[in-house]
């Protein structure tokens, strides 16, 4: 029976590698976002003489939005892989290795995730207010409500994390 239990635990432990394709899928998502970023930059330069100031600001905010999402994906890929699949031991001495790699735990990852979602939501809300004439009051109210919900969730996550940290 002990041998069966040991075999089961080995299979269970090895199953973490099923997550590896998910992280590779996030790499593909980065490529898609990079293409979208390039398209947005091209659009901005193509309309540099005809776009209004508000349109340019919305365009730049879109670039910031994409950059935040890409940064978030990198954090999720690296920390998720290192926390749940395998350590990147061969990269510890690499000169370009980010300082945060290997130090972001699951709790830190949740806080960074909700912080990024709040920032992205705030940018979308700012873009909506820059284009307020084309939106209904109901649409704006939903956007504000969703942003406030994300903001409150972020504060609650941070409080739970602080309470959890104090209890340890």
């Amino acid at each position: 029976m002990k041998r069966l239990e040991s075999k089961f635990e080995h299979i269970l432990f090895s199953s973490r590698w099923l997550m590896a394709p998910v992280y590779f899928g996030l790499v593909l998502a980065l490529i898609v976002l990079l293409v979208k970023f390039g398209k947005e930059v091209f659009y901005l330069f193509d309309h540099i003489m005809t776009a209004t100031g508000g349109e340019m600001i919305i365009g730049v905010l879109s670039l910031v939005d994409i950059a935040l999402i890409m940064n978030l994906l990198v954090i999720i890929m690296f920390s998720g892989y290192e926390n749940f699949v395998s350590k990147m031991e061969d990269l510890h001495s690499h000169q370009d290795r980010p300082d945060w790699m290997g130090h972001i735990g699951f709790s830190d990852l949740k806080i960074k995730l909700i912080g990024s979602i709040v920032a992205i939501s705030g940018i979308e809300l700012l873009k909506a207010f820059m284009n307020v004439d084309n939106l209904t009051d109901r649409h704006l109210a939903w956007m504000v409500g969703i942003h406030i919900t994300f903001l409150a969730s972020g504060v609650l996550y941070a409080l739970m994390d602080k309470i959890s940290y104090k209890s340890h």
Side-chain angles (χ1 to χ4, degrees):
M1 190 64 167
K2 184 68 175 167
R3 212 172 118 190
L4 183 62
E5 181 182 354
S6 177
K7 191 70 165 165
F8 175 73
E9 289 171 355
H10 181 72
I11 291 169
L12 197 61
F13 182 70
S14 297
S15 71
R16 73 192 190 283
W17 283 98
L18 295 173
M19 286 297 298
V22 171
Y23 295 115
F24 183 71
L26 293 178
V27 172
L28 297 178
L30 276 176
I31 294 168
V32 168
L33 286 170
L34 182 61
V35 170
K36 176 70 173 166
F37 187 88
K39 184 179 168 187
E40 290 285 332
V41 168
F42 181 76
Y43 179 84
L44 275 177
F45 276 106
D46 194 38
H47 293 85
I48 198 164
M49 294 301 196
T50 58
T52 65
E55 291 170 337
M56 289 305 257
I57 290 171
I58 289 172
V60 171
L61 286 173
S62 295
L63 294 177
V64 171
D65 205 10
I66 294 169
L68 283 172
I69 293 169
M70 291 178 80
N71 288 337
L72 180 61
L73 283 177
V74 168
I75 291 170
I76 290 170
M77 285 184 325
F78 286 174
S79 62
Y81 183 84
E82 282 207 332
N83 280 309
F84 302 114
V85 179
S86 180
K87 298 290 180 201
M88 295 183 192
E89 297 293 335
D90 296 341
L91 300 176
H92 279 300
S93 61
H94 195 281
Q95 67 183 20
D96 288 334
R97 180 183 165 93
D99 291 336
W100 55 264
M101 264 184 77
H103 301 291
I104 293 182
F106 186 63
S107 180
D108 299 323
L109 186 58
K110 287 189 301 186
I111 296 295
K112 288 187 183 317
L113 176 65
I114 194 68
S116 294
I117 289 171
V118 168
I120 291 164
S121 172
I123 289 171
E124 288 300 316
L125 192 56
L126 184 57
K127 287 183 347 188
F129 281 124
M130 296 287 296
N131 200 15
V132 75
D133 295 336
N134 298 331
L135 298 172
T136 66
D137 290 345
R138 181 184 170 120
H139 189 237
L140 282 174
W142 272 106
M143 290 184 78
V144 169
I146 290 169
H147 181 69
I148 289 171
T149 301
F150 286 148
L151 191 59
S153 297
V155 170
L156 290 174
Y157 268 124
L159 286 172
M160 287 187 302
D161 193 50
K162 186 175 182 175
I163 291 168
S164 174
Y165 182 74
K166 279 185 180 180
S167 67
H168 293 305

